[in-house]
Amino acid sequence: MGLGDMISQQLVERRGLREHHTGRTLTMVSLGCGFVGPVVGGWYRVLDRLIPGTTKVDALKKMLLDQGGFAPCFLGCFLPLVGTLNGLSAQDNWAKLQRLWPTVQLANFYLVPLHYRLAVVQGVAVVWNSYLCWKAHQP
């Protein structure tokens, strides 16, 4: 999440190092390390115990359970937190997430071994977090 903020500030917003908001980046790092990483990593371990395997059917089941069960609960906590920290509306975030994450998770559960899933999602999240940080800090 911190990397997403740095990309947003340096490549999208073009702040430069002197104008970089370090506090904003540290807030995103704290959110990623203290909330997102532990919660999502734990969920992947639970999900793999509930539905072992990596066939197409297993991946579809995992994606459906992830998006139908976990995602609404997680996002119910995550979006208000991010919105509060970044001044974003939960409605804008929700609309974007509904389009992006089911596709990412279907591919993740079908193609990626358990021990790499969190890394894959975090890679996609770098792009997502760059967008969120940019959107949140528009003048």
Side-chain angles (χ1 to χ4, degrees):
M1 293 189 75
L3 179 60
D5 183 66
M6 288 189 283
I7 289 169
S8 175
Q9 289 194 52
Q10 297 306 314
L11 299 179
V12 178
E13 300 169 40
R14 301 195 185 277
R15 290 184 176 276
L17 295 177
R18 289 192 178 140
E19 298 296 320
H20 188 89
H21 294 164
T22 304
R24 179 176 128 182
T25 301
L26 291 175
T27 298
M28 297 306 284
V29 167
S30 298
L31 184 60
C33 292
F35 180 72
V36 175
V39 171
V40 174
W43 166 242
Y44 286 163
R45 287 187 293 279
V46 167
L47 189 57
D48 212 54
R49 278 188 230 121
L50 291 173
I51 306 169
T54 58
T55 67
K56 289 179 186 177
V57 172
D58 294 332
L60 183 59
K61 288 177 186 177
K62 288 176 184 180
M63 187 273 296
L64 291 172
L65 188 55
D66 179 69
Q67 294 300 299
F70 176 75
C73 298
F74 177 76
L75 293 173
C77 297
F78 177 73
L79 290 177
L81 183 57
V82 169
T84 299
L85 294 174
N86 290 317
L88 293 175
S89 101
Q91 292 82 3
D92 288 343
N93 289 337
W94 180 248
K96 297 284 184 186
L97 281 169
Q98 285 179 309
R99 290 192 294 268
L100 173 67
W101 288 109
T103 303
V104 170
Q105 291 295 61
L106 183 60
N108 197 26
F109 295 136
Y110 179 59
L111 300 172
V112 180
L114 173 63
H115 57 283
Y116 293 121
R117 288 184 191 148
L118 184 58
V120 167
V121 167
Q122 292 308 307
V124 173
V126 166
V127 175
W128 174 247
N129 292 327
S130 297
Y131 168 77
L132 287 180
C133 291
W134 170 77
K135 179 86 171 154
H137 297 92
Q138 289 297 298

